[in-house]
């Protein structure tokens, strides 16, 4: 009897090659098979990891990504080395983080910051459906795509300056992603 737990869960190498061969000639000229597989993997990672991170936090704690990142950032600000002061600072850090967590007074703000801020940053500005504009996507997505195409020539110089800011925002999600081996790669 074949191991049915592996069947259907992932396409085989032959299935991937068949899909690649089914692409148009233009698409195959743009990317080698290896580049195409790498892009497909990155696309799946971009789609699933924010959801997995959200589920992990929901099941195993009272944090959302915003509260988790807030607590983690505030924990790095200890400067005294005096245990009583550090304990007081831990309490304040947890109080602040818990207010935007699952049952906090500002939970809706934390949830929105997690979903619309951190998750979108991890997905390159797209929501969980791959759209830039949500309900208005039929109007906004073509505008965004056209702006991206027009701005690519100008983006080269600004990319290095803006990359540091984007990396900082994306890093908030990698706090949790690191638990699954999906953290930021050096």
């Amino acid at each position: 009897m074949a191991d049915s737990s592996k069947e259907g869960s992932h396409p085989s190498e032959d299935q991937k090659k068949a899909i690649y061969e089914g692409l148009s000639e233009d698409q195959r000229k743009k990317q080698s098979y290896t580049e195409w597989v790498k892009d497909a993997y990155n696309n799946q990672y971009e789609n699933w990891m924010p959801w997995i991170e959200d589920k992990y936090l929901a099941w195993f704690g009272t944090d959302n990504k915003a509260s988790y990142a807030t607590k983690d950032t505030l924990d790095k600000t200890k400067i005294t080395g005096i245990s009583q002061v550090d304990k007081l600072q831990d309490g304040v850090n947890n109080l602040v983080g818990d207010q935007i967590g699952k049952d906090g007074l500002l939970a809706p703000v934390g949830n929105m910051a997690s979903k619309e801020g951190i998750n979108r940053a991890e997905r390159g500005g797209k929501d969980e459906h791959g759209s830039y504009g949500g309900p208005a996507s039929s109007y906004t997505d073509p505008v965004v795509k056209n702006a991206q195409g027009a701005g690519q020539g100008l983006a080269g110089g600004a990319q290095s300056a803006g990359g540091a800011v984007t990396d900082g925002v994306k890093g908030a999600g990698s706090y949790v992603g690191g638990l699954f081996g999906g953290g930021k790669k050096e």
Side-chain angles (χ1 to χ4, degrees):
M1 182 174 208
D3 183 9
S4 62
S5 66
K6 291 184 180 179
E7 288 180 22
S9 62
H10 300 289
S12 69
E13 194 62 31
D14 291 336
Q15 290 171 323
K16 290 178 198 171
K17 285 182 181 178
I19 293 169
Y20 178 74
E21 293 301 322
L23 297 175
S24 71
E25 188 67 32
D26 265 356
Q27 289 174 314
R28 283 185 285 169
K29 284 182 182 177
K30 289 179 184 176
Q31 289 183 310
S32 70
Y33 172 71
T34 305
E35 292 169 333
W36 177 78
V37 169
K38 184 178 174 183
D39 280 352
Y41 170 81
N42 288 336
N43 187 41
Q44 279 304 102
Y45 183 87
E46 182 180 282
N47 288 335
W48 283 96
M49 279 314 292
W51 178 82
I52 291 170
E53 293 164 356
D54 289 340
K55 289 299 174 193
Y56 180 86
L57 287 171
W59 290 337
F60 298 108
T62 59
D63 290 326
N64 53 33
K65 285 184 184 176
S67 64
Y68 186 85
T70 300
K71 288 178 185 179
D72 188 66
T73 302
L74 290 173
D75 282 343
K76 295 176 184 174
T77 63
K78 293 181 185 170
I79 55 173
T80 65
I82 302 169
S83 65
Q84 293 90 345
V85 175
D86 288 345
K87 188 172 182 176
L88 175 64
Q89 192 172 2
D90 286 340
V92 172
N93 294 351
N94 286 331
L95 175 68
V96 171
D98 287 344
Q99 291 309 305
I100 58 175
K102 190 189 268 183
D103 296 323
L105 185 61
L106 299 173
V109 173
N111 292 336
M112 185 189 72
S114 294
K115 183 177 179 182
E116 296 298 328
I118 296 170
N119 283 355
R120 277 188 182 256
E122 290 176 327
R123 291 183 173 125
K126 294 180 251 176
D127 65 10
E128 65 272 12
H129 304 294
S131 167
Y132 291 99
S137 64
S138 61
Y139 301 106
T140 59
D141 285 357
V143 172
V144 170
K145 294 212 184 288
N146 290 336
Q148 285 175 338
Q152 282 179 348
L154 299 172
Q159 198 168 28
S160 60
V165 173
T166 305
D167 288 345
V169 174
K170 287 181 180 178
S174 71
Y175 290 134
V176 179
L179 296 171
F180 301 102
K184 196 173 184 181
K185 304 293 184 228
E186 299 290 328

